[in-house]
Amino acid sequence: MSLARLVDVHTHVYLPRYAALLRSRTTLPRIITSSREGKPDDRLFILDRDTGRPVGSQYWDRDEKLKFMDRHGIDMSVVSSANPWLDFLPASEAQTLATQLNEDLEQYCADSPSLSPSLKRLYGFGLLPLVPEISTAALLEAIEQISKLSHLKGIIMGTRGLGKGLDSEDLDPVWAALEKSGLVVFLHPHYGVDVEAWGEKDNGHVLPLALGFPFETTIATTRLILAGVFDRFPSLRLLLAHSGGALPQLSSRLASCIEHDPVVASRLKHDARWYLGKLYFDAVAYGPEELGFVSDVISRSQRYEAGGSVPTNTAVDRALGSRRMLFGTDHPFFPPLQPTEKWKSVVENLQAIDAVTGWGQVEKDGVRGANALSLFNLV
Ligand code: 5CU
């Protein structure tokens, strides 16, 4: 077993202030409290057609986060607010709450135990008030606020932007400021795809979570590529949830569709596959084959370095791609259905990293933590 640090970059919280807001609401998203066997019973409703799920202190209490980390050998976590963030609020409320929640998260991290004289156990992703009608000035102020909070190392963002999606040019000043700040942008889904796609059978939350979430990320990232955002802001650091969804699998098809489309064919500076090598991917994929495949696709992007040159047949260096992949748990989501010491969702992701063919100890340690330390400049 390696002694290298284990760092969780995909782990969520509903900060107490936000949980209180969810409790006060009468429409989605909300927490409904009822009584079960004489005890208060909190249930969270956030998704379209959500049937609810139990929520408790593991969603908001920092001690519970630290206990979970200890139980799974996680040294450090970069914690983010869970979906749906501020998406449902009017602009002025979103702006005020973003400022407060960023302060709250800074405190949550700053007061966490130290791992070494210079490192805490908890760091965070802040929030921007990304809602329709918000002013650009308010967004830039939020980026400035987060940049000054020393324990916040990035921002978490959904896919709606200001209501028109992330490919809207209205967001260019935001991308420019984020690029300049060096903050990592964690792109995370919430809406999935049209619920009609799921049919009428009750399949719990399986279809929206297993398929809807990753497809939402796939679509949002593809739209960013197509809009030339990575051409205009080449140093933007974007971390994709759930290993980038289906984008790695579909990237050659995307490249071909672009090449054959008169509207888009000459728009981008690079072959679509090149952009995947500029992104970061969490390793929340649950299987070694998937992780290996994603690292191949990232590695392969270098073949497209010269503006879409013809790929060679040289074997891809799988290890190279691993440097852009980072361990995550999705805690406190996906708790075991029956009480167990360790959560299967965590154990499986760790076992997957360990079992990727072609990754040596250096690559595995990188994905487990060293890549995160480097990406977030945690030294
Ligand atoms: O179980 C869920 O609904 C979720 C969610 O909403 N967000 C997330 O990050 N993971 C699971």
Side-chain angles (χ1 to χ4, degrees):
M1 177 49 87
S2 164
L3 295 177
R5 300 257 193 243
L6 185 58
V7 183
D8 183 357
V9 304
H10 188 155
T11 179
H12 297 300
V13 64
Y14 288 127
L15 289 163
R17 188 190 299 276
Y18 187 88
L21 171 70
L22 293 185
R23 274 205 193 84
S24 72
R25 288 174 54 82
T26 52
T27 54
L28 279 185
R30 62 187 300 208
I31 292 173
I32 299 181
T33 304
S34 54
S35 172
R36 190 172 283 213
E37 291 162 8
K39 292 190 195 137
D41 177 55
D42 281 341
R43 290 196 161 249
L44 175 71
F45 296 79
I46 45 174
L47 305 177
D48 221 351
R49 290 198 201 154
D50 202 328
T51 47
R53 88 248 6 229
V55 274
S57 54
Q58 73 275 25
Y59 280 79
W60 39 79
D61 186 333
R62 188 184 51 208
D63 286 344
E64 291 295 326
K65 181 70 80 192
L66 290 164
K67 272 193 228 159
F68 167 84
M69 289 166 61
D70 289 342
R71 197 188 296 177
H72 295 91
I74 297 169
D75 298 295
M76 297 162 80
S77 292
V78 190
V79 180
S80 47
S81 285
N83 48 296
W85 314 287
L86 308 168
D87 287 20
F88 53 95
L89 294 173
S92 67
E93 256 182 80
Q95 186 182 0
T96 306
L97 197 57
T99 309
Q100 293 169 334
L101 289 170
N102 290 332
E103 288 289 350
D104 291 350
L105 187 58
E106 170 65 18
Q107 213 54 50
Y108 175 101
C109 300
D111 293 345
S112 71
S114 295
L115 196 63
S116 73
S118 61
L119 287 178
K120 289 285 181 183
R121 293 196 68 191
L122 298 175
Y123 290 89
F125 289 99
L127 280 176
L128 302 184
L130 278 167
V131 293
E133 321 256 304
I134 196 83
S135 67
T136 301
L139 292 166
L140 299 184
E141 261 172 48
I143 295 171
E144 199 178 335
Q145 179 207 17
I146 294 166
S147 304
K148 287 183 181 152
L149 296 172
S150 61
H151 296 86
L152 302 192
K153 300 293 177 188
I155 60 146
I156 185 163
M157 176 184 281
T159 62
R160 293 247 160 128
L162 305 181
K164 291 190 252 165
L166 300 182
D167 51 2
S168 163
E169 272 149 31
D170 296 348
L171 285 173
D172 272 12
V174 173
W175 300 128
L178 287 168
E179 182 184 51
K180 191 161 170 230
S181 70
L183 292 167
V184 175
V185 179
F186 182 19
L187 181 60
H188 193 287
H190 171 68
Y191 299 96
V193 300
D194 189 342
V195 283
E196 294 304 318
W198 307 141
E200 290 179 358
K201 291 243 183 322
D202 181 5
N203 293 308
H205 294 138
V206 168
L207 291 168
L209 293 181
L211 305 182
F213 267 31
F215 273 107
E216 181 186 351
T217 307
T218 306
I219 294 166
T221 311
T222 303
R223 283 173 60 178
L224 282 172
I225 293 173
L226 285 171
V229 169
F230 301 111
D231 287 334
R232 291 198 296 290
F233 308 102
S235 302
L236 195 60
R237 301 191 303 163
L238 195 74
L239 167 65
L240 301 183
H242 314 118
S243 299
L247 187 57
Q249 175 64 42
L250 295 175
S251 56
S252 288
R253 181 170 176 78
L254 172 63
S256 176
C257 290
I258 292 174
E259 192 115 339
H260 292 91
D261 191 296
V263 176
V264 191
S266 55
R267 187 192 290 171
L268 300 180
K269 286 194 184 154
H270 301 273
D271 182 285
R273 287 162 281 203
W274 179 84
Y275 298 95
L276 275 78
K278 301 290 147 201
L279 302 169
Y280 296 86
F281 298 75
D282 76 18
V284 184
Y286 306 94
E289 293 80 8
E290 287 82 357
L291 294 182
F293 175 74
V294 173
S295 67
D296 284 349
V297 171
I298 302 171
S299 305
R300 184 192 60 182
S301 75
Q302 66 180 330
R303 289 189 196 158
Y304 299 92
E305 196 60 62
S309 65
V310 179
T312 63
N313 280 329
T314 51
V316 287
D317 178 4
R318 176 167 275 196
L320 198 68
S322 71
R323 291 186 207 146
R324 287 180 172 268
M325 300 179 69
L326 305 92
F327 169 70
T329 63
D330 223 339
H331 177 260
F333 296 102
F334 304 108
L337 294 182
Q338 304 300 332
T340 52
E341 171 63 12
K342 295 203 179 189
W343 290 25
K344 187 168 184 194
S345 51
V346 181
V347 172
E348 254 178 1
N349 276 318
L350 285 171
Q351 286 172 341
I353 293 169
D354 227 30
V356 176
T357 308
W359 284 2
Q361 198 56 50
V362 171
E363 287 73 39
K364 291 173 190 175
D365 284 347
V367 178
R368 287 165 53 89
N371 298 343
L373 297 179
S374 150
L375 179 65
F376 296 104
N377 200 18
L378 296 169
V379 282

